[in-house]
Amino acid sequence: MKMKSWFISLLLVLVLSSLCFSSFSTTVSYDSRALLIDGTRRIIISGSIHYPRSTPEMWPELIQKAKEGGLDAIETYVFWNAHEPVKRQYNFEGNLDLVRFIKEVQNAGLYAILRIGPYVCAEWNLGGFPAWLRQIPGLQTRTDNQLFENEMQTFTTMIVDMMKKEQLMAPQGGPIILTQIENEYGNIQSGYGDAGKKYIQWCAQMAESLNVGVPWIMCQQSDAPQPIINTCNGFYCHEFQPNNPNSPKFWTENWTGWFKAWDKPDPHRPAEDVAYAVARFFQLNGTLQNYYMYHGGTNFGRTSGGPYITTTYDYDAPLDEFGNIRQPKYGHLKELHTVLKSMENALVYGNFNSTQLADGVYVTEYTGKGITPACFISNNKNSGDATVEYNGNSYFIPAWSVSLLPECKDEVYNTAKVNTQTSVMVKRKNQAEDEPEVLTWSWRSETMKHTLKGAEGSFTDHKLLDQVPASGDTSDYLWYMTSFDYDDHNADMDMTLSVQTKGHVLHAFVNGKLIGSQYAPDGQFSFTFESVVRIKPGKNYITLLSGTVGLQNYGAYFDTVATGIAGGPVELLEGNTTHDLSSNLWAYKVGLNGEDKQIYVDSPHHKWHSGSIPTMKPFTWYKASFKAPLGTEPVVVDLKGMGKGMAWVNGNSLGRYWPSSIANNQGCNQCDYRGSYNADNNCRTGCGEAAQQWYHVPRSFLKGELNTLVLFEEAGGEPYSVNFQTVSVGTVCGHVEEGKTLNLSCGGDRTISEVQFASFGDSAGTCGAFQKGNCDSETAFAAVQKACVGKTMCSIEASEVALGASGCKNITVSLAVQAACS
Ligand SMILES: *[C@@H]1O[C@H](CO)[C@@H](O)[C@H](O)[C@H]1NC(C)=O
Ligand SMILES: *[C@@H]1O[C@H](CO)[C@@H](O)[C@H](O)[C@H]1NC(C)=O
Ligand SMILES: *[C@@H]1O[C@H](CO)[C@@H](O)[C@H](O)[C@H]1NC(C)=O
Ligand SMILES: *[C@@H]1O[C@H](CO)[C@@H](O)[C@H](O)[C@H]1NC(C)=O
Ligand SMILES: *[C@@H]1O[C@H](CO)[C@@H](O)[C@H](O)[C@H]1NC(C)=O
Ligand SMILES: CC(=O)N[C@H]1CO[C@H](CO)[C@@H](O)[C@@H]1O
């Protein structure tokens, strides 16, 4: 008995102590080759997912998909201006719950890389800097300035302490293995002279003093002080070398695509090129790389930077804006990760050397005592496929591709040979029962009567102020109000109102009437507005509404770039006489009355008109009720017909909308993955179309039966074609060589309803445009039909056994399939 209870106590002690240490402490260090996790060199494949660009409800699935895609780590920036919108008033709620996000990463069994910055760039409003920084006299950001350094240290320390308190650092058993201070400062450091050098030393010392227990990194910082690891950002980083022989070669931003602007078509970076860049990096002794972005997401609210970054931050990432798997990018990279991981030991412990096999073709061998060798063969030329002999075998290496040979014998993967399906996404209605085709709208005008008479100003000045410091950036809008006395005259006079603005949008009113609106053209954010106006004898009201569309996030002194009518001049031109109003007494009012009153929140206190709905009427609020589309697929709202403004669902901001902004015609040429990717000139789609027509409505914003959509229309639009849709796979395609297996899946519950094309022979073309060649198996179509129709997924071996003889002579035979999902 005694013996037994002693034994039970021992058991209890053991159980308790193992509970206490259930999250084992992990040591993270590095040497010249790799990151060391518990003393072992590791290959780390990471991907960026920014927590505020999705919702907490989406996080677990995004992270799980990242894990299934072969990632070891999730990387995120920390968004200072979101967390501290008002000095010392913090927000870590909802999609700003950083701790919850890192814990989700931990729950999935992944590592986390925390890029605190707190400058983040990231196409995020003001690069993450709170607008109140500029309201501190004497403060200068990102340089040797005590006032800024104090603020930066306060915030950085708070984040580190928060992570430590929650036991989230690796030595505490948490997932965080790396932390970043500053961000791409090296790119712009020269603009700050010696003060910049002092600042970066300060950053390093401050960071090191926080004792995070894991290494710090700086990206694009060739003078990163030891022991901080200098890392590379770019489309390609294989030629990068860290600034210290004791630092490993890390790539913190591998741009999987590119961001989008309101005046530009959609960028796409081909899967073959991303895979090529990754394979080249690991071929040339890189050991940690991060996809920027793995999931881009959405710029909700007023978070997008720029100017002119769209609300969608899809980024052409492996997971699309809504969290859907983007194929073939996701699958093609997943396969690469699997093969790289199988080579891990050789890559981090082997010796390596490269030998030229042919013009532009190199084999890199990783070998060592007791190590299974691993090889890469790369063809680095933009054109000119190569067939090379190596170790007695022959390899076909297409131009701009890398083959991976895990045992230096068989090619297991080539970056240009895509075996993964292509998924073409479509939007479907999935309308709830008795949901009408056209929504029923009510409306109200933005109340401006008093504003247009110069009343309602909250402060005045005898000059034209810079919008951001004047408004604290709490709204896109700042009213500039003054009056002009046209005394000693008894007749009206036509004059020209001339306004010089630093951007981005200007609406001009004279005597209560909108006389014109102007939007900054492509890349030129300052412009002059001119319009003939009728001036009457006596007092005339000049009221100017300036609007911003995302604030600068990049460049030396980016945060001091003036916006709004800063400095003017504002003039009335009367024949040869100029009436300069710039130093008049100007009254200022920040934001719209509707924003102040939170018209976008459903409340019985807000009065709405029904009946005849005004269209093409600027400064109008619209409201409609709707039922959520059926099912669980991601929801978008189609805002075709609307002009420019902001949208809310159940009080949650979907971000800015601007479907009337048309993408320019640059870059929509044929897309060739070969050669260095250029986001501006290649592979874009949507030229001449609405820059963004569909806006993500996260499922978690929706309530069961009745939901409210509110739009603030600034430019004038008509809401009758606004409707809700869901996003899912519409068509799947695949094209694999004989000997490979083609897997097709519609995702979710959708099934393959029809095989539209199937050929086992020498067909050519791409998804949506396959063409039969000269030879084909007669039974292939039926075999594919039998294997796939009615199934959510199917797997077909590209072989004569499965598909019948192709009859092709002396050529490479392949299987091409296109099928519809429903
Ligand atoms: C990577 O290889 C290059 C070329 O051999 C060498 O100069 C460099 O020191 C290596 N870097 C690392 C981090 O191993
Ligand atoms: C480099 O390549 C040569 C020729 O293939 C080989 O003999 C040598 O062992 C290799 N060295 C290393 C360090 O792998
Ligand atoms: C404006 O100036 C021009 C040239 O200086 C002159 O010819 C013209 O008469 C002036 N017009 C008025 C209305 O003063
Ligand atoms: C294709 O599907 C089969 C059956 O589900 C699976 O075993 C195989 O791993 C898949 N292949 C790839 C490349 O995903
Ligand atoms: C097969 O193709 C190769 C290379 O294109 C060519 O040299 C050979 O003559 C061809 N053989 C036949 C039987 O057509
Ligand atoms: C140099 C630069 O633009 N930096 C950016 C690089 O990549 C992404 C762009 O999507 C940004 O987040 C970086 O900070």
Side-chain angles (χ1 to χ4, degrees), residues 350-355 363 365-368 390-391:
N351 298 315
F352 63 97
N353 67 15
S354 295
T355 315
V363 61
E365 301 171 303
Y366 283 81
T367 54
Y390 168 67
N391 272 357

Side-chain angles (χ1 to χ4, degrees), residues 275-351:
Y276 171 77
V278 174
R280 288 286 284 148
F281 179 72
F282 286 101
Q283 176 180 14
L284 297 180
N285 67 7
T287 52
L288 175 149
Q289 76 101 29
N290 175 67
Y291 293 104
Y292 189 102
M293 302 293 298
Y294 199 76
H295 170 255
T298 308
N299 291 313
F300 297 112
R302 305 178 51 253
T303 59
S304 76
Y308 272 31
I309 303 297
T310 47
T311 294
T312 176
Y313 196 66
D314 179 272
Y315 221 88
D316 200 35
L319 299 177
D320 74 10
E321 175 176 8
F322 319 108
N324 293 312
I325 285 175
R326 172 169 277 125
Q327 298 286 38
K329 197 173 271 185
Y330 176 93
H332 191 48
L333 295 173
K334 173 181 169 149
E335 243 184 276
L336 172 59
H337 304 153
T338 307
V339 182
L340 281 171
K341 279 304 171 71
S342 74
M343 297 160 64
E344 181 175 31
N345 191 44
L347 296 188
V348 294
Y349 286 106
N351 298 315

